[in-house]
Amino acid sequence: MSARILVVDDVIPNVKILEAKLSVEYYDVITAYNGPDALVLAEEESPDLILLDVMMPQMDGFEVCQRLKKNPVTAHIPVVMVTALSETADRVQGLEAGADDFLTKPVDDVALFARVKSLLRLKMMMDEFRLREATSQDLGVISPEDGPGSLNQKGRILAIDDNNFSAQQLRAVYEEKYDVTIEGDMEEALVLARGGDFDLAVISMNCTGFDPLRLCSRIRTLEETRQLPILTLVDDSDTERLVKGLELGVNDYVMRPIDNNELAVRTRTQVLRKQYQDRLRHNYHRSMELAVTDALTGLYNRRYMTNHLNTLLSKAGADYRPVSLLIMDIDYFKKVNDTHGHDVGDDVLKQFSSRIGKSVRGIDLACRFGGEEFVVVMPDTDLAVATGVAERLRREVAGQPFSVSQGTLELDITCSIGVTMSQPNEQSDTLLKRADEALYQAKRDGRNRVVTNSAPA
Ligand code: GH3
Ligand code: MG
Protein backbone atom coordinates (compact mmCIF):
# COMPACT_ATOMS: atom_id res chain seq x y z
CA MET A 1 0.00 0.00 0.00
CA SER A 2 1.89 3.05 -1.19
CA ALA A 3 0.82 6.32 0.30
CA ARG A 4 2.05 9.80 1.10
CA ILE A 5 2.59 10.61 4.75
CA LEU A 6 3.21 14.02 6.27
CA VAL A 7 5.42 13.92 9.40
CA VAL A 8 5.27 17.00 11.62
CA ASP A 9 7.63 17.57 14.58
CA ASP A 10 9.77 20.49 15.73
CA VAL A 11 12.63 18.19 16.77
CA ILE A 12 14.66 17.36 13.67
CA PRO A 13 15.94 13.92 14.83
CA ASN A 14 12.34 12.82 15.58
CA VAL A 15 11.30 13.68 12.03
CA LYS A 16 14.35 11.92 10.62
CA ILE A 17 13.66 8.72 12.57
CA LEU A 18 10.04 8.50 11.44
CA GLU A 19 10.97 9.42 7.90
CA ALA A 20 13.57 6.64 7.79
CA LYS A 21 11.19 4.01 9.22
CA LEU A 22 8.39 4.89 6.84
CA SER A 23 10.63 5.17 3.77
CA VAL A 24 11.92 1.66 4.32
CA GLU A 25 8.33 0.46 3.91
CA TYR A 26 8.08 2.47 0.67
CA TYR A 27 5.87 5.22 1.98
CA ASP A 28 6.37 8.58 0.36
CA VAL A 29 7.28 10.93 3.23
CA ILE A 30 6.99 14.71 3.38
CA THR A 31 8.05 16.68 6.44
CA ALA A 32 7.25 19.88 8.30
CA TYR A 33 8.97 21.32 11.40
CA ASN A 34 6.17 23.54 12.67
CA GLY A 35 2.39 23.88 12.66
CA PRO A 36 1.91 26.65 10.08
CA ASP A 37 4.13 24.83 7.54
CA ALA A 38 2.20 21.62 8.18
CA LEU A 39 -1.09 23.36 7.40
CA VAL A 40 0.26 24.67 4.10
CA LEU A 41 1.74 21.30 3.09
CA ALA A 42 -1.44 19.43 4.02
CA GLU A 43 -3.43 21.68 1.74
CA GLU A 44 -0.97 21.71 -1.15
CA GLU A 45 0.23 18.11 -1.13
CA SER A 46 -2.93 16.34 0.09
CA PRO A 47 -1.13 13.59 2.01
CA ASP A 48 -2.99 10.37 2.88
CA LEU A 49 -2.05 10.54 6.55
CA ILE A 50 -0.52 13.03 8.99
CA LEU A 51 1.68 12.08 11.98
CA LEU A 52 1.49 15.10 14.20
CA ASP A 53 3.61 15.92 17.24
CA VAL A 54 1.70 17.51 20.10
CA MET A 55 4.38 19.61 21.81
CA MET A 56 5.52 22.28 19.36
CA PRO A 57 6.33 25.95 20.00
CA GLN A 58 4.25 28.62 18.27
CA MET A 59 1.29 26.39 17.39
CA ASP A 60 0.80 23.07 19.20
CA GLY A 61 -0.45 19.82 17.66
CA PHE A 62 -3.96 20.20 19.05
CA GLU A 63 -4.44 23.50 17.30
CA VAL A 64 -2.94 22.20 14.05
CA CYS A 65 -5.31 19.23 14.19
CA GLN A 66 -8.29 21.44 14.87
CA ARG A 67 -7.47 23.65 11.90
CA LEU A 68 -6.93 20.64 9.61
CA LYS A 69 -10.32 19.23 10.57
CA LYS A 70 -12.04 22.58 10.09
CA ASN A 71 -10.72 23.08 6.57
CA PRO A 72 -12.86 21.18 4.02
CA VAL A 73 -9.76 20.60 1.84
CA THR A 74 -7.95 18.69 4.61
CA ALA A 75 -10.76 17.50 6.91
CA HIS A 76 -10.81 13.97 5.47
CA ILE A 77 -7.07 13.32 6.06
CA PRO A 78 -6.54 11.03 9.07
CA VAL A 79 -4.39 12.54 11.81
CA VAL A 80 -2.34 10.51 14.29
CA MET A 81 -1.26 12.50 17.35
CA VAL A 82 2.21 11.66 18.58
CA THR A 83 2.39 12.35 22.32
CA ALA A 84 5.44 12.32 24.57
CA LEU A 85 3.50 10.94 27.52
CA SER A 86 0.71 8.45 27.55
CA GLU A 87 -1.30 11.05 29.41
CA THR A 88 -5.03 10.48 29.38
CA ALA A 89 -5.59 14.22 29.39
CA ASP A 90 -3.59 14.55 26.17
CA ARG A 91 -5.68 11.89 24.51
CA VAL A 92 -8.93 13.49 25.51
CA GLN A 93 -7.73 16.82 24.20
CA GLY A 94 -6.57 15.10 21.01
CA LEU A 95 -9.96 13.51 20.53
CA GLU A 96 -11.64 16.85 21.02
CA ALA A 97 -9.35 18.33 18.38
CA GLY A 98 -10.51 15.61 15.95
CA ALA A 99 -7.51 13.23 16.04
CA ASP A 100 -8.07 9.79 14.50
CA ASP A 101 -5.48 7.91 16.54
CA PHE A 102 -2.55 8.24 18.96
CA LEU A 103 1.04 7.09 19.14
CA THR A 104 3.27 7.38 22.17
CA LYS A 105 6.92 8.43 21.99
CA PRO A 106 9.29 6.70 21.59
CA VAL A 107 7.35 5.29 18.67
CA ASP A 108 7.78 1.55 18.33
CA ASP A 109 7.60 -0.07 14.91
CA VAL A 110 4.74 -2.46 15.55
CA ALA A 111 2.48 0.32 16.79
CA LEU A 112 3.54 2.71 14.05
CA PHE A 113 2.76 0.36 11.17
CA ALA A 114 -0.45 -1.01 12.70
CA ARG A 115 -1.84 2.55 13.09
CA VAL A 116 -0.59 3.72 9.71
CA LYS A 117 -1.99 0.71 7.86
CA SER A 118 -5.38 0.72 9.46
CA LEU A 119 -5.93 4.44 8.92
CA LEU A 120 -4.66 4.28 5.34
CA ARG A 121 -7.10 1.46 4.61
CA LEU A 122 -9.93 3.56 5.92
CA LYS A 123 -8.84 6.54 3.86
CA MET A 124 -8.56 4.44 0.71
CA MET A 125 -12.11 3.19 1.21
CA MET A 126 -13.44 6.68 1.81
CA ASP A 127 -11.60 8.12 -1.20
CA GLU A 128 -12.88 5.35 -3.43
CA PHE A 129 -16.35 5.83 -2.06
CA ARG A 130 -16.35 9.55 -2.79
CA LEU A 131 -15.01 8.96 -6.28
CA ARG A 132 -17.52 6.28 -7.19
CA GLU A 133 -20.32 8.26 -5.72
CA ALA A 134 -19.43 11.22 -7.90
CA THR A 135 -19.21 9.06 -11.03
CA SER A 136 -22.43 7.25 -10.28
CA GLN A 137 -24.29 10.46 -9.68
CA ASP A 138 -22.95 11.83 -12.96
CA LEU A 139 -24.35 8.78 -14.70
CA GLY A 140 -27.59 9.07 -12.77
CA VAL A 141 -27.46 5.50 -11.51
CA ILE A 142 -27.20 6.10 -7.76
CA SER A 143 -29.97 7.63 -5.76
CA PRO A 144 -29.24 9.84 -2.73
CA GLU A 145 -30.25 7.12 -0.24
CA ASP A 146 -27.17 5.16 -1.31
CA GLY A 147 -24.94 8.01 -0.12
CA PRO A 148 -22.79 8.21 3.02
CA GLY A 149 -25.78 9.44 5.05
CA SER A 150 -26.89 5.85 5.30
CA LEU A 151 -23.58 4.99 6.97
CA ASN A 152 -24.93 6.30 10.22
CA GLN A 153 -26.32 2.91 11.11
CA LYS A 154 -25.20 1.60 14.49
CA GLY A 155 -22.02 -0.46 14.18
CA ARG A 156 -22.29 -4.12 15.23
CA ILE A 157 -19.50 -5.51 17.39
CA LEU A 158 -18.80 -9.08 18.37
CA ALA A 159 -16.62 -9.08 21.51
CA ILE A 160 -14.97 -12.36 22.43
CA ASP A 161 -13.69 -12.62 25.97
CA ASP A 162 -14.10 -15.52 28.40
CA ASN A 163 -13.23 -13.43 31.43
CA ASN A 164 -16.50 -12.19 32.85
CA PHE A 165 -15.07 -9.08 34.45
CA SER A 166 -13.28 -7.70 31.41
CA ALA A 167 -16.21 -8.72 29.17
CA GLN A 168 -18.48 -6.51 31.27
CA GLN A 169 -15.98 -3.66 30.99
CA LEU A 170 -16.11 -3.98 27.23
CA ARG A 171 -19.88 -3.95 27.29
CA ALA A 172 -19.81 -0.75 29.35
CA VAL A 173 -17.46 0.98 26.86
CA TYR A 174 -19.42 -0.06 23.76
CA GLU A 175 -23.03 -0.22 24.86
CA GLU A 176 -23.98 3.36 24.19
CA LYS A 177 -22.59 3.71 20.67
CA TYR A 178 -22.68 0.18 19.31
CA ASP A 179 -24.80 -2.89 19.07
CA VAL A 180 -22.55 -5.25 21.03
CA THR A 181 -22.69 -9.03 21.44
CA ILE A 182 -20.41 -10.67 24.03
CA GLU A 183 -19.33 -14.30 23.64
CA GLY A 184 -16.94 -16.43 25.69
CA ASP A 185 -16.80 -19.60 23.61
CA MET A 186 -14.76 -19.93 20.43
CA GLU A 187 -17.09 -22.21 18.45
CA GLU A 188 -20.13 -20.14 19.40
CA ALA A 189 -18.23 -17.01 18.41
CA LEU A 190 -17.50 -18.49 15.00
CA VAL A 191 -21.15 -19.38 14.46
CA LEU A 192 -22.13 -15.83 15.40
CA ALA A 193 -19.42 -14.30 13.20
CA ARG A 194 -20.51 -16.33 10.19
CA GLY A 195 -24.14 -15.40 10.43
CA GLY A 196 -24.17 -12.14 12.30
CA ASP A 197 -23.28 -9.46 9.81
CA PHE A 198 -20.85 -7.80 12.26
CA ASP A 199 -18.64 -4.79 11.52
CA LEU A 200 -15.85 -5.74 13.94
CA ALA A 201 -14.62 -8.63 16.09
CA VAL A 202 -12.86 -7.57 19.30
CA ILE A 203 -10.86 -10.48 20.64
CA SER A 204 -9.18 -10.66 24.04
CA MET A 205 -5.77 -12.34 23.86
CA ASN A 206 -6.21 -13.29 27.52
CA CYS A 207 -8.88 -15.92 26.81
CA THR A 208 -7.96 -19.15 28.60
CA GLY A 209 -10.68 -21.60 27.42
CA PHE A 210 -9.28 -21.64 23.86
CA ASP A 211 -6.41 -20.23 21.83
CA PRO A 212 -7.46 -16.71 20.78
CA LEU A 213 -4.88 -16.67 17.95
CA ARG A 214 -6.54 -19.74 16.55
CA LEU A 215 -9.84 -17.88 16.55
CA CYS A 216 -8.21 -14.99 14.63
CA SER A 217 -6.86 -17.41 12.09
CA ARG A 218 -10.23 -19.16 11.63
CA ILE A 219 -11.99 -15.82 11.11
CA ARG A 220 -9.44 -14.89 8.43
CA THR A 221 -9.82 -18.24 6.63
CA LEU A 222 -13.58 -18.68 6.55
CA GLU A 223 -15.20 -17.31 3.42
CA GLU A 224 -18.06 -15.59 5.29
CA THR A 225 -15.81 -13.83 7.80
CA ARG A 226 -12.72 -13.06 5.75
CA GLN A 227 -13.65 -9.37 5.45
CA LEU A 228 -14.49 -8.94 9.14
CA PRO A 229 -11.96 -6.59 10.80
CA ILE A 230 -10.33 -7.87 14.00
CA LEU A 231 -9.12 -5.75 16.91
CA THR A 232 -7.20 -7.57 19.65
CA LEU A 233 -6.79 -6.64 23.31
CA VAL A 234 -3.28 -7.56 24.41
CA ASP A 235 -1.29 -7.43 27.65
CA ASP A 236 1.51 -4.91 27.29
CA SER A 237 4.05 -7.65 28.04
CA ASP A 238 2.67 -10.05 25.43
CA THR A 239 4.52 -8.79 22.35
CA GLU A 240 4.72 -12.28 20.91
CA ARG A 241 0.97 -12.74 20.63
CA LEU A 242 0.56 -9.18 19.46
CA VAL A 243 2.95 -9.70 16.55
CA LYS A 244 1.62 -13.18 15.71
CA GLY A 245 -1.87 -11.72 15.55
CA LEU A 246 -0.81 -8.94 13.19
CA GLU A 247 0.90 -11.53 10.98
CA LEU A 248 -2.35 -13.51 10.89
CA GLY A 249 -4.20 -10.46 9.59
CA VAL A 250 -5.42 -8.80 12.78
CA ASN A 251 -6.19 -5.21 11.80
CA ASP A 252 -5.35 -3.36 15.00
CA TYR A 253 -4.84 -3.76 18.75
CA VAL A 254 -5.16 -1.99 22.07
CA MET A 255 -2.81 -2.69 24.97
CA ARG A 256 -4.01 -3.56 28.46
CA PRO A 257 -4.58 -1.75 30.76
CA ILE A 258 -7.12 -0.42 28.30
CA ASP A 259 -7.41 3.30 27.76
CA ASN A 260 -11.06 3.78 26.82
CA ASN A 261 -10.32 6.71 24.52
CA GLU A 262 -7.84 4.67 22.59
CA LEU A 263 -10.24 1.75 22.33
CA ALA A 264 -12.93 4.15 21.13
CA VAL A 265 -10.89 5.68 18.28
CA ARG A 266 -9.52 2.34 17.04
CA THR A 267 -12.95 0.77 17.15
CA ARG A 268 -14.41 3.68 15.24
CA THR A 269 -11.76 3.42 12.51
CA GLN A 270 -12.37 -0.29 11.96
CA VAL A 271 -16.16 -0.07 12.03
CA LEU A 272 -16.21 2.87 9.63
CA ARG A 273 -13.92 1.14 7.18
CA LYS A 274 -16.04 -2.00 7.20
CA GLN A 275 -19.19 0.03 6.62
CA TYR A 276 -17.65 1.97 3.74
CA GLN A 277 -16.42 -1.27 2.22
CA ASP A 278 -19.86 -2.91 2.46
CA ARG A 279 -21.49 0.18 1.04
CA LEU A 280 -19.07 0.26 -1.88
CA ARG A 281 -19.78 -3.35 -2.74
CA HIS A 282 -23.52 -2.83 -2.45
CA ASN A 283 -23.43 0.29 -4.61
CA TYR A 284 -21.29 -1.46 -7.17
CA HIS A 285 -23.80 -4.25 -7.68
CA ARG A 286 -26.66 -1.82 -7.61
CA SER A 287 -25.18 0.56 -10.14
CA MET A 288 -24.29 -2.32 -12.41
CA GLU A 289 -27.87 -3.44 -12.30
CA LEU A 290 -29.32 0.01 -12.70
CA ALA A 291 -26.94 0.86 -15.49
CA VAL A 292 -27.73 -2.08 -17.70
CA THR A 293 -31.28 -3.19 -16.97
CA ASP A 294 -34.78 -1.85 -17.33
CA ALA A 295 -36.51 -1.36 -13.99
CA LEU A 296 -39.99 -2.60 -14.98
CA THR A 297 -39.08 -5.76 -16.84
CA GLY A 298 -35.59 -6.66 -15.65
CA LEU A 299 -34.47 -7.08 -19.27
CA TYR A 300 -31.35 -5.32 -20.56
CA ASN A 301 -31.92 -1.69 -21.45
CA ARG A 302 -31.45 0.00 -24.79
CA ARG A 303 -28.09 1.58 -23.95
CA TYR A 304 -26.57 -1.73 -22.92
CA MET A 305 -28.00 -3.57 -25.95
CA THR A 306 -26.69 -0.98 -28.40
CA ASN A 307 -23.20 -1.14 -26.90
CA HIS A 308 -23.20 -4.88 -26.91
CA LEU A 309 -24.51 -5.07 -30.47
CA ASN A 310 -21.76 -2.77 -31.72
CA THR A 311 -19.17 -4.94 -30.01
CA LEU A 312 -20.56 -8.01 -31.72
CA LEU A 313 -20.68 -6.27 -35.10
CA SER A 314 -17.14 -4.92 -34.82
CA LYS A 315 -15.69 -8.41 -35.07
CA ALA A 316 -14.45 -8.12 -38.62
CA GLY A 317 -12.49 -10.21 -41.10
CA ALA A 318 -12.09 -13.92 -40.45
CA ASP A 319 -13.90 -13.47 -37.14
CA TYR A 320 -17.04 -12.27 -38.83
CA ARG A 321 -20.22 -14.15 -37.94
CA PRO A 322 -23.64 -12.83 -38.86
CA VAL A 323 -25.68 -11.35 -36.05
CA SER A 324 -29.43 -11.58 -36.42
CA LEU A 325 -31.80 -9.22 -34.72
CA LEU A 326 -35.54 -9.03 -34.23
CA ILE A 327 -37.77 -6.19 -33.04
CA MET A 328 -41.14 -7.06 -31.55
CA ASP A 329 -43.94 -4.64 -30.84
CA ILE A 330 -47.18 -5.41 -28.99
CA ASP A 331 -50.26 -4.99 -31.17
CA TYR A 332 -52.85 -2.42 -30.13
CA PHE A 333 -51.15 -1.93 -26.79
CA LYS A 334 -52.58 1.55 -26.42
CA LYS A 335 -56.03 -0.04 -26.23
CA VAL A 336 -54.91 -2.18 -23.24
CA ASN A 337 -53.92 0.98 -21.37
CA ASP A 338 -57.04 2.87 -22.46
CA THR A 339 -59.43 0.07 -21.51
CA HIS A 340 -57.88 -1.38 -18.38
CA GLY A 341 -55.54 1.28 -17.09
CA HIS A 342 -51.78 1.82 -17.00
CA ASP A 343 -51.15 -0.72 -14.22
CA VAL A 344 -52.69 -3.52 -16.27
CA GLY A 345 -50.55 -2.30 -19.18
CA ASP A 346 -47.47 -2.63 -16.95
CA ASP A 347 -48.54 -6.14 -15.95
CA VAL A 348 -48.76 -7.12 -19.61
CA LEU A 349 -45.30 -5.68 -20.28
CA LYS A 350 -43.83 -7.70 -17.41
CA GLN A 351 -45.41 -10.95 -18.55
CA PHE A 352 -44.49 -10.27 -22.15
CA SER A 353 -40.86 -9.82 -21.06
CA SER A 354 -40.86 -12.97 -19.03
CA ARG A 355 -42.20 -14.96 -21.97
CA ILE A 356 -39.40 -13.57 -24.16
CA GLY A 357 -36.83 -14.23 -21.48
CA LYS A 358 -37.91 -17.83 -21.16
CA SER A 359 -37.89 -18.68 -24.85
CA VAL A 360 -34.60 -17.20 -26.08
CA ARG A 361 -31.27 -19.01 -25.84
CA GLY A 362 -28.66 -18.16 -23.25
CA ILE A 363 -26.38 -16.38 -25.69
CA ASP A 364 -29.22 -14.28 -27.09
CA LEU A 365 -29.70 -10.89 -25.54
CA ALA A 366 -33.25 -9.72 -24.85
CA CYS A 367 -33.79 -6.03 -24.23
CA ARG A 368 -36.58 -3.55 -23.73
CA PHE A 369 -35.96 -1.16 -26.56
CA GLY A 370 -38.67 1.38 -25.73
CA GLY A 371 -42.21 1.51 -24.30
CA GLU A 372 -43.74 -1.68 -25.78
CA GLU A 373 -40.93 -2.49 -28.19
CA PHE A 374 -38.47 -5.28 -27.51
CA VAL A 375 -35.29 -6.38 -29.28
CA VAL A 376 -33.60 -9.77 -29.27
CA VAL A 377 -29.98 -9.91 -30.49
CA MET A 378 -28.85 -13.33 -31.71
CA PRO A 379 -25.08 -13.75 -32.18
CA ASP A 380 -23.79 -16.20 -34.74
CA THR A 381 -27.27 -16.80 -36.16
CA ASP A 382 -28.44 -16.79 -39.78
CA LEU A 383 -31.71 -15.41 -41.07
CA ALA A 384 -33.51 -18.77 -41.34
CA VAL A 385 -32.82 -19.66 -37.71
CA ALA A 386 -33.68 -16.12 -36.55
CA THR A 387 -37.01 -16.29 -38.42
CA GLY A 388 -37.71 -19.59 -36.63
CA VAL A 389 -36.98 -17.95 -33.25
CA ALA A 390 -39.27 -15.03 -34.13
CA GLU A 391 -42.10 -17.38 -35.10
CA ARG A 392 -41.68 -19.27 -31.84
CA LEU A 393 -41.81 -16.01 -29.85
CA ARG A 394 -44.92 -14.89 -31.72
CA ARG A 395 -46.67 -18.15 -30.81
CA GLU A 396 -45.46 -17.91 -27.20
CA VAL A 397 -47.30 -14.58 -26.94
CA ALA A 398 -50.44 -15.28 -28.98
CA GLY A 399 -50.85 -18.91 -27.91
CA GLN A 400 -52.01 -18.26 -24.35
CA PRO A 401 -53.96 -15.35 -22.87
CA PHE A 402 -52.18 -13.06 -20.41
CA SER A 403 -53.44 -13.34 -16.86
CA VAL A 404 -53.38 -9.89 -15.18
CA SER A 405 -54.76 -8.07 -12.11
CA GLN A 406 -53.90 -10.99 -9.82
CA GLY A 407 -55.61 -13.47 -12.11
CA THR A 408 -58.95 -11.64 -12.29
CA LEU A 409 -58.55 -10.67 -15.92
CA GLU A 410 -57.41 -12.56 -19.02
CA LEU A 411 -56.29 -10.70 -22.11
CA ASP A 412 -55.49 -11.94 -25.58
CA ILE A 413 -52.26 -10.27 -26.66
CA THR A 414 -50.45 -10.51 -29.98
CA CYS A 415 -47.30 -8.96 -31.34
CA SER A 416 -45.68 -8.19 -34.67
CA ILE A 417 -42.03 -8.97 -35.35
CA GLY A 418 -39.44 -7.75 -37.85
CA VAL A 419 -36.29 -9.82 -38.43
CA THR A 420 -33.01 -9.09 -40.18
CA MET A 421 -29.37 -10.20 -40.33
CA SER A 422 -26.12 -8.21 -40.29
CA GLN A 423 -23.73 -7.67 -43.18
CA PRO A 424 -19.93 -7.45 -42.77
CA ASN A 425 -18.84 -4.02 -41.49
CA GLU A 426 -22.34 -3.01 -40.60
CA GLN A 427 -23.21 -0.77 -37.64
CA SER A 428 -26.09 -1.18 -35.23
CA ASP A 429 -28.12 1.73 -36.58
CA THR A 430 -28.64 0.36 -40.10
CA LEU A 431 -29.34 -3.11 -38.74
CA LEU A 432 -31.97 -1.76 -36.37
CA LYS A 433 -33.46 0.37 -39.13
CA ARG A 434 -33.88 -2.65 -41.39
CA ALA A 435 -35.55 -4.67 -38.62
CA ASP A 436 -37.84 -1.72 -37.94
CA GLU A 437 -38.89 -1.57 -41.60
CA ALA A 438 -39.78 -5.28 -41.44
CA LEU A 439 -41.78 -4.65 -38.24
CA TYR A 440 -43.81 -1.94 -39.94
CA GLN A 441 -44.45 -4.21 -42.88
CA ALA A 442 -45.80 -6.81 -40.41
CA LYS A 443 -48.11 -4.17 -38.88
CA ARG A 444 -49.35 -3.13 -42.35
CA ASP A 445 -49.90 -6.76 -43.35
CA GLY A 446 -52.38 -7.19 -40.49
CA ARG A 447 -50.26 -7.69 -37.26
CA ASN A 448 -49.62 -10.90 -35.29
CA ARG A 449 -47.01 -11.97 -37.82
CA VAL A 450 -43.29 -12.18 -38.60
CA VAL A 451 -41.72 -10.35 -41.55
CA THR A 452 -38.13 -10.94 -42.62
CA ASN A 453 -36.03 -8.22 -44.25
CA SER A 454 -32.93 -9.72 -45.86
CA ALA A 455 -30.05 -7.33 -46.28
CA PRO A 456 -29.61 -5.41 -49.52
CA ALA A 457 -27.70 -7.54 -52.01
P1 GH3 B 1 -49.63 -0.95 -32.85
O1 GH3 B 1 -50.37 -2.25 -32.98
O2 GH3 B 1 -49.60 -0.19 -34.12
O3 GH3 B 1 -48.29 -1.18 -32.27
O4 GH3 B 1 -50.50 -0.05 -31.86
P2 GH3 B 1 -50.15 0.29 -30.35
O5 GH3 B 1 -51.36 0.78 -29.67
O6 GH3 B 1 -49.47 -0.89 -29.69
O7 GH3 B 1 -49.01 1.38 -30.51
P3 GH3 B 1 -48.90 2.87 -30.05
O8 GH3 B 1 -47.51 3.26 -30.41
O9 GH3 B 1 -50.03 3.70 -30.60
O10 GH3 B 1 -49.06 2.87 -28.48
C1 GH3 B 1 -48.12 2.30 -27.65
C2 GH3 B 1 -48.55 2.60 -26.24
O11 GH3 B 1 -47.70 2.00 -25.28
C3 GH3 B 1 -48.56 4.07 -25.95
C4 GH3 B 1 -47.85 4.18 -24.61
O12 GH3 B 1 -48.59 4.97 -23.69
C5 GH3 B 1 -47.81 2.77 -24.10
N1 GH3 B 1 -46.65 2.55 -23.22
C6 GH3 B 1 -45.36 2.83 -23.47
N2 GH3 B 1 -44.59 2.49 -22.40
C7 GH3 B 1 -45.42 2.00 -21.45
C8 GH3 B 1 -45.24 1.49 -20.12
O13 GH3 B 1 -44.12 1.41 -19.58
N3 GH3 B 1 -46.31 1.06 -19.45
C9 GH3 B 1 -47.56 1.12 -20.01
N4 GH3 B 1 -48.59 0.67 -19.28
N5 GH3 B 1 -47.77 1.61 -21.25
C10 GH3 B 1 -46.74 2.03 -21.97
MG1 MG C 1 -47.57 -1.46 -30.38
Side-chain angles (χ1 to χ4, degrees):
M1 190 166 21
S2 172
R4 173 175 300 187
I5 302 178
L6 171 61
V7 176
V8 190
D9 198 315
D10 60 310
V11 181
I12 295 175
N14 287 349
V15 173
K16 292 293 170 203
I17 289 172
L18 280 176
E19 186 178 19
K21 286 181 180 184
L22 292 165
S23 301
V24 167
E25 295 294 318
Y26 304 106
Y27 292 111
D28 182 9
V29 181
I30 45 181
T31 54
Y33 297 96
N34 60 60
D37 283 357
L39 291 173
V40 172
L41 275 177
E43 215 178 312
E44 283 176 358
E45 304 280 327
S46 48
D48 298 297
L49 182 75
I50 300 173
L51 297 179
L52 182 60
D53 180 36
V54 171
M55 301 278 278
M56 290 185 294
Q58 192 179 356
M59 187 192 288
D60 71 11
F62 299 126
E63 190 180 342
V64 176
C65 184
Q66 231 160 15
R67 290 185 183 216
L68 285 168
K69 296 294 176 182
K70 248 195 225 145
N71 180 352
V73 182
T74 54
H76 65 288
I77 306 172
V79 176
V80 180
M81 291 286 211
V82 184
T83 58
L85 316 152
S86 46
E87 283 278 328
T88 309
D90 270 2
R91 294 198 171 160
V92 173
Q93 204 178 342
L95 276 180
E96 281 166 358
D100 297 87
D101 210 331
F102 311 101
L103 278 172
T104 322
K105 282 187 202 171
V107 177
D108 84 69
D109 291 7
V110 174
L112 174 67
F113 291 116
R115 306 289 100 86
V116 164
K117 268 189 202 148
S118 86
L119 283 169
L120 284 177
R121 281 203 190 103
L122 171 61
K123 173 142 188 308
M124 268 170 57
M125 286 293 162
M126 292 170 75
D127 286 352
E128 187 66 19
F129 186 90
R130 294 190 311 173
L131 203 71
R132 299 255 187 101
E133 194 193 26
T135 312
S136 300
Q137 270 167 3
D138 284 350
L139 288 171
V141 295
I142 289 273
S143 58
E145 76 257 24
D146 295 318
S150 50
L151 277 170
N152 291 333
Q153 82 221 46
K154 222 173 179 185
R156 302 197 57 206
I157 295 177
L158 176 61
I160 301 123
D161 194 339
D162 63 2
N163 177 304
N164 213 14
F165 179 71
S166 68
Q168 288 321 312
Q169 280 186 317
L170 279 179
R171 185 187 292 286
V173 174
Y174 284 142
E175 215 160 34
E176 194 190 326
K177 271 208 170 146
Y178 300 96
D179 202 341
V180 58
T181 305
I182 311 260
E183 180 51 59
D185 180 81
M186 169 157 131
E187 293 306 325
E188 283 301 313
L190 280 169
V191 172
L192 284 171
R194 291 172 89 151
D197 204 15
F198 289 100
D199 297 310
L200 174 66
V202 177
I203 303 178
S204 164
M205 286 291 125
N206 298 63
C207 288
T208 48
F210 57 90
D211 178 0
L213 281 173
R214 199 169 150 63
L215 176 59
C216 296
S217 144
R218 297 273 300 275
I219 288 176
R220 273 293 156 272
T221 336
L222 290 169
E223 181 66 35
E224 305 96 305
T225 57
R226 193 166 290 165
Q227 306 284 346
L228 178 64
I230 303 174
L231 179 83
T232 56
L233 308 174
V234 203
D235 273 347
D236 58 3
S237 56
D238 200 353
T239 326
E240 197 185 319
R241 272 207 244 197
L242 164 64
V243 173
K244 269 248 169 65
L246 290 170
E247 280 168 3
L248 284 170
V250 163
N251 302 77
D252 207 349
Y253 65 91
V254 176
M255 291 276 196
R256 291 184 196 276
I258 291 171
D259 174 324
N260 288 350
N261 294 316
E262 211 180 305
L263 184 60
V265 286
R266 287 185 196 149
T267 299
R268 177 181 170 274
T269 297
Q270 296 302 331
V271 167
L272 259 183
R273 178 174 68 83
K274 175 68 162 46
Q275 292 186 343
Y276 268 104
Q277 185 177 307
D278 289 351
R279 189 56 55 167
L280 268 174
R281 195 168 300 132
H282 169 81
N283 281 359
Y284 172 74
H285 288 301
R286 209 174 128 70
S287 44
M288 283 298 280
E289 248 172 55
L290 289 172
V292 304
T293 58
D294 164 59
L296 180 69
T297 63
L299 296 180
Y300 285 106
N301 62 23
R302 181 182 188 141
R303 180 168 62 162
Y304 181 82
M305 189 279 293
T306 316
N307 268 327
H308 186 70
L309 182 57
N310 279 323
T311 310
L312 286 172
L313 291 173
S314 67
K315 289 186 183 169
D319 258 358
Y320 178 76
R321 297 259 189 289
V323 177
S324 282
L325 179 141
L326 61 83
I327 300 188
M328 10 186 4
D329 184 287
I330 303 178
D331 297 328
Y332 305 117
F333 185 64
K334 195 171 173 307
K335 223 158 67 189
V336 174
N337 274 333
D338 292 349
T339 316
H340 305 286
H342 204 264
D343 287 350
V344 169
D346 280 359
D347 263 6
V348 169
L349 289 173
K350 280 191 231 172
Q351 263 186 60
F352 188 88
S353 309
S354 114
R355 289 190 194 193
I356 300 173
K358 270 187 212 140
S359 48
V360 299
R361 299 167 304 175
I363 62 157
D364 298 336
L365 188 133
C367 114
R368 186 178 182 197
F369 196 60
E372 26 91 68
E373 260 194 339
F374 297 82
V375 165
V376 178
V377 176
M378 294 164 280
D380 202 359
T381 304
D382 66 25
L383 205 53
V385 172
T387 307
V389 173
E391 189 52 41
R392 193 174 74 227
L393 283 171
R394 189 194 62 75
R395 271 187 272 121
E396 195 68 46
V397 172
Q400 256 202 346
F402 282 49
S403 169
V404 290
S405 298
Q406 279 103 37
T408 58
L409 183 63
E410 296 218 321
L411 293 176
D412 286 318
I413 301 289
T414 63
C415 66
S416 302
I417 306 180
V419 191
T420 194
M421 186 181 78
S422 70
Q423 296 300 296
N425 304 317
E426 188 169 15
Q427 298 274 304
S428 62
D429 50 351
T430 55
L431 188 66
L432 283 161
K433 185 162 178 286
R434 221 165 38 245
D436 210 42
E437 283 164 12
L439 169 64
Y440 277 90
Q441 188 62 45
K443 293 278 184 191
R444 277 199 298 274
D445 291 351
R447 297 180 170 77
N448 190 21
R449 69 192 59 223
V450 174
V451 168
T452 298
N453 190 352
S454 52

